[in-house]
Short mmCIF file of all heavy atoms in Angstrom, two decimals:
data_model
loop_
_atom_site.label_atom_id
_atom_site.label_comp_id
_atom_site.label_asym_id
_atom_site.label_seq_id
_atom_site.Cartn_x
_atom_site.Cartn_y
_atom_site.Cartn_z
N ARG A 10 -3.87 -21.27 26.93
CA ARG A 10 -3.79 -22.70 26.70
C ARG A 10 -2.82 -23.41 27.64
O ARG A 10 -2.62 -24.62 27.54
CB ARG A 10 -3.37 -22.97 25.25
CG ARG A 10 -4.24 -22.32 24.20
CD ARG A 10 -5.67 -22.75 24.27
NE ARG A 10 -5.85 -24.18 24.05
CZ ARG A 10 -7.02 -24.80 23.98
NH1 ARG A 10 -8.13 -24.11 24.16
NH2 ARG A 10 -7.09 -26.09 23.77
N TYR A 78 3.97 -28.06 19.52
CA TYR A 78 3.22 -26.81 19.43
C TYR A 78 3.90 -25.84 18.46
O TYR A 78 5.13 -25.77 18.39
CB TYR A 78 3.13 -26.13 20.80
CG TYR A 78 2.23 -26.83 21.77
CD1 TYR A 78 2.75 -27.57 22.82
CD2 TYR A 78 0.84 -26.73 21.66
CE1 TYR A 78 1.92 -28.21 23.73
CE2 TYR A 78 0.01 -27.36 22.57
CZ TYR A 78 0.56 -28.10 23.60
OH TYR A 78 -0.27 -28.74 24.50
N LEU A 114 -2.30 -20.64 18.29
CA LEU A 114 -1.54 -21.83 18.68
C LEU A 114 -2.05 -23.03 17.90
O LEU A 114 -3.27 -23.23 17.78
CB LEU A 114 -1.70 -22.08 20.18
CG LEU A 114 -0.83 -23.18 20.80
CD1 LEU A 114 0.64 -22.76 20.81
CD2 LEU A 114 -1.29 -23.47 22.23
N ILE A 115 -1.14 -23.83 17.35
CA ILE A 115 -1.55 -24.96 16.52
C ILE A 115 -0.77 -26.20 16.92
O ILE A 115 0.42 -26.13 17.27
CB ILE A 115 -1.36 -24.65 15.02
CG1 ILE A 115 -1.96 -25.77 14.15
CG2 ILE A 115 0.10 -24.41 14.67
CD1 ILE A 115 -2.15 -25.35 12.71
N GLN A 116 -1.46 -27.35 16.90
CA GLN A 116 -0.84 -28.63 17.25
C GLN A 116 -1.56 -29.75 16.52
O GLN A 116 -2.79 -29.77 16.47
CB GLN A 116 -0.93 -28.86 18.77
CG GLN A 116 -0.33 -30.19 19.23
CD GLN A 116 -0.71 -30.52 20.67
OE1 GLN A 116 -1.87 -30.35 21.06
NE2 GLN A 116 0.24 -30.97 21.46
N ALA A 117 -0.81 -30.66 15.95
CA ALA A 117 -1.39 -31.86 15.36
C ALA A 117 -1.37 -32.94 16.44
O ALA A 117 -0.31 -33.30 16.95
CB ALA A 117 -0.59 -32.32 14.14
N SER A 118 -2.55 -33.43 16.82
CA SER A 118 -2.64 -34.43 17.88
C SER A 118 -2.00 -35.73 17.45
O SER A 118 -2.08 -36.13 16.28
CB SER A 118 -4.11 -34.67 18.25
OG SER A 118 -4.72 -33.47 18.70
N ARG A 119 -1.38 -36.39 18.38
CA ARG A 119 -0.87 -37.73 18.11
C ARG A 119 -2.05 -38.68 17.93
O ARG A 119 -3.13 -38.47 18.48
CB ARG A 119 0.01 -38.22 19.27
CG ARG A 119 1.30 -37.43 19.46
CD ARG A 119 2.18 -38.12 20.50
NE ARG A 119 3.43 -37.41 20.71
CZ ARG A 119 3.61 -36.48 21.63
NH1 ARG A 119 2.61 -36.16 22.44
NH2 ARG A 119 4.77 -35.89 21.77
N SER A 122 -3.77 -39.67 21.16
CA SER A 122 -4.15 -38.63 22.12
C SER A 122 -5.61 -38.28 21.98
O SER A 122 -6.23 -38.50 20.94
CB SER A 122 -3.28 -37.39 21.91
OG SER A 122 -3.54 -36.82 20.65
N ALA A 123 -6.16 -37.70 23.03
CA ALA A 123 -7.55 -37.26 23.00
C ALA A 123 -7.66 -36.00 22.15
O ALA A 123 -6.72 -35.20 22.06
CB ALA A 123 -8.04 -36.99 24.41
N ALA A 124 -8.81 -35.78 21.54
CA ALA A 124 -9.01 -34.59 20.72
C ALA A 124 -9.01 -33.35 21.59
O ALA A 124 -9.34 -33.39 22.78
CB ALA A 124 -10.34 -34.70 19.97
N ALA A 125 -8.61 -32.23 21.01
CA ALA A 125 -8.61 -30.97 21.75
C ALA A 125 -10.02 -30.62 22.18
O ALA A 125 -11.01 -31.00 21.55
CB ALA A 125 -8.02 -29.87 20.87
N ASP A 126 -10.14 -29.87 23.26
CA ASP A 126 -11.45 -29.60 23.84
C ASP A 126 -12.30 -28.69 22.97
O ASP A 126 -13.21 -29.14 22.28
CB ASP A 126 -11.27 -29.02 25.24
CG ASP A 126 -10.23 -27.90 25.29
OD1 ASP A 126 -9.63 -27.56 24.26
OD2 ASP A 126 -10.04 -27.36 26.39
N THR A 127 -12.05 -27.40 23.00
CA THR A 127 -12.89 -26.47 22.25
C THR A 127 -12.22 -25.92 21.01
O THR A 127 -12.74 -25.03 20.36
CB THR A 127 -13.28 -25.29 23.16
OG1 THR A 127 -12.08 -24.64 23.60
CG2 THR A 127 -14.08 -25.77 24.37
N ALA A 128 -11.07 -26.44 20.66
CA ALA A 128 -10.32 -25.89 19.53
C ALA A 128 -10.76 -26.53 18.22
O ALA A 128 -10.92 -27.75 18.14
CB ALA A 128 -8.83 -26.11 19.74
N PRO A 129 -10.96 -25.73 17.15
CA PRO A 129 -11.32 -26.31 15.86
C PRO A 129 -10.12 -26.99 15.19
O PRO A 129 -8.98 -26.58 15.39
CB PRO A 129 -11.78 -25.10 15.04
CG PRO A 129 -11.05 -23.95 15.64
CD PRO A 129 -10.90 -24.25 17.11
N ALA A 130 -10.41 -28.00 14.40
CA ALA A 130 -9.39 -28.69 13.61
C ALA A 130 -9.42 -28.15 12.18
O ALA A 130 -10.48 -27.84 11.65
CB ALA A 130 -9.65 -30.19 13.61
N LYS A 249 -19.10 -29.01 19.48
CA LYS A 249 -18.39 -30.11 18.85
C LYS A 249 -19.15 -30.58 17.61
O LYS A 249 -20.36 -30.82 17.65
CB LYS A 249 -18.21 -31.27 19.83
CG LYS A 249 -17.36 -32.41 19.28
CD LYS A 249 -17.10 -33.47 20.33
CE LYS A 249 -16.22 -34.58 19.78
NZ LYS A 249 -15.95 -35.63 20.79
N GLY A 250 -18.42 -30.69 16.51
CA GLY A 250 -19.02 -31.11 15.24
C GLY A 250 -19.40 -29.97 14.33
O GLY A 250 -19.67 -30.18 13.14
N ARG A 270 -13.34 -27.61 11.66
CA ARG A 270 -14.40 -28.32 12.38
C ARG A 270 -14.07 -28.36 13.86
O ARG A 270 -12.96 -28.65 14.25
CB ARG A 270 -14.57 -29.75 11.84
CG ARG A 270 -15.68 -30.53 12.54
CD ARG A 270 -15.82 -31.93 11.98
NE ARG A 270 -14.60 -32.69 12.17
CZ ARG A 270 -14.13 -33.60 11.31
NH1 ARG A 270 -14.80 -33.83 10.20
NH2 ARG A 270 -13.01 -34.25 11.56
N TRP A 271 -15.06 -28.06 14.68
CA TRP A 271 -14.88 -28.11 16.13
C TRP A 271 -15.07 -29.53 16.65
O TRP A 271 -15.71 -30.36 16.03
CB TRP A 271 -15.89 -27.19 16.81
CG TRP A 271 -15.43 -25.78 16.87
CD1 TRP A 271 -14.89 -25.13 17.94
CD2 TRP A 271 -15.49 -24.80 15.81
NE1 TRP A 271 -14.59 -23.83 17.61
CE2 TRP A 271 -14.94 -23.59 16.33
CE3 TRP A 271 -15.94 -24.83 14.49
CZ2 TRP A 271 -14.84 -22.43 15.56
CZ3 TRP A 271 -15.83 -23.68 13.74
CH2 TRP A 271 -15.28 -22.50 14.26
#
Side-chain angles (χ1 to χ4, degrees):
R10 305 301 299 184
Y78 289 105
L114 188 69
I115 187 164
Q116 179 192 43
S118 300
R119 294 188 180 93
S122 65
D126 47 0
T127 59
K249 186 175 181 180
R270 181 180 62 215
W271 276 259

